[in-house]
Structures are given as C-alpha cells and as structure tokens.
Amino acid sequence: MLFLAGQSDRAAGAVFLLIWGVIAVVFGGALATKRGAAGIRSLVVNALEGSPRQLAEARGVSERFVRLIGGSLAICGMLAVPVSAVMLTYG
C-alpha cells in the first residue's frame, strides 16, 4: 500500500493510505474477534455448499487462522494510519 500511495500525488496517496488504514483497522479488528471469525467462517462454509471438495477444505480451516489474518490486517492498518499522517504533514 505504501508503494501505491507513493505513485500518485503525495497528498492523494496519503489520503488513500489513510482511508485504507482506517478500513483495515476496522475490518481486521472485527475479524480478530471470536464472534467475527466464527461469522466469516460460517459465511464461507455456507456459500460453498455446492462444491463438496471445497466445502471439506473450508471446514478444515480453523477460526484461529481467520483471527490471525484479521489481526495481521489490523496491524497493517495501524501502521498505515501514522505513515499517512506523516505523509500529509510533510507532503
């Protein structure tokens, strides 16, 4: 995201990075909770009812893995927000 933000105008890239960072923090934080991870996992499993092989693979994914993905997304967002603030300040 930092690379994409640096490709355009400084101010536009910083605003893009700020919006992306806030969205990543919100959705990553929601996925990192037990209830959010269980909800997303059940949504994916219910959507794959037509394909038995993919359904078996989706059921094999643990909620811990979904929470790990959500946590890492939230951490990326938490890093992007201050970087975008610095880009806006010094841009």
Side-chain angles (χ1 to χ4, degrees):
M1 288 297 133
L2 289 174
F3 181 71
L4 287 175
Q7 293 298 313
S8 61
D9 182 29
R10 287 275 187 200
V15 171
F16 167 75
L17 193 60
L18 178 66
I19 293 170
W20 183 87
V22 169
I23 290 172
V25 168
V26 169
F27 286 116
L31 282 178
T33 63
K34 284 185 180 183
R35 193 171 73 178
I40 239 353
R41 186 175 175 273
S42 68
L43 179 74
V44 169
V45 167
N46 290 337
L48 292 174
E49 286 179 350
S51 176
R53 193 187 104 227
Q54 289 180 345
L55 180 64
E57 289 177 8
R59 283 189 178 149
V61 174
S62 68
E63 287 181 19
R64 180 178 286 169
F65 179 72
V66 177
R67 292 180 71 190
L68 176 72
I69 296 296
S72 55
L73 183 64
I75 289 172
C76 290
M78 284 189 265
L79 291 174
V81 170
V83 168
S84 67
V86 168
M87 287 174 66
L88 282 171
T89 304
Y90 292 121

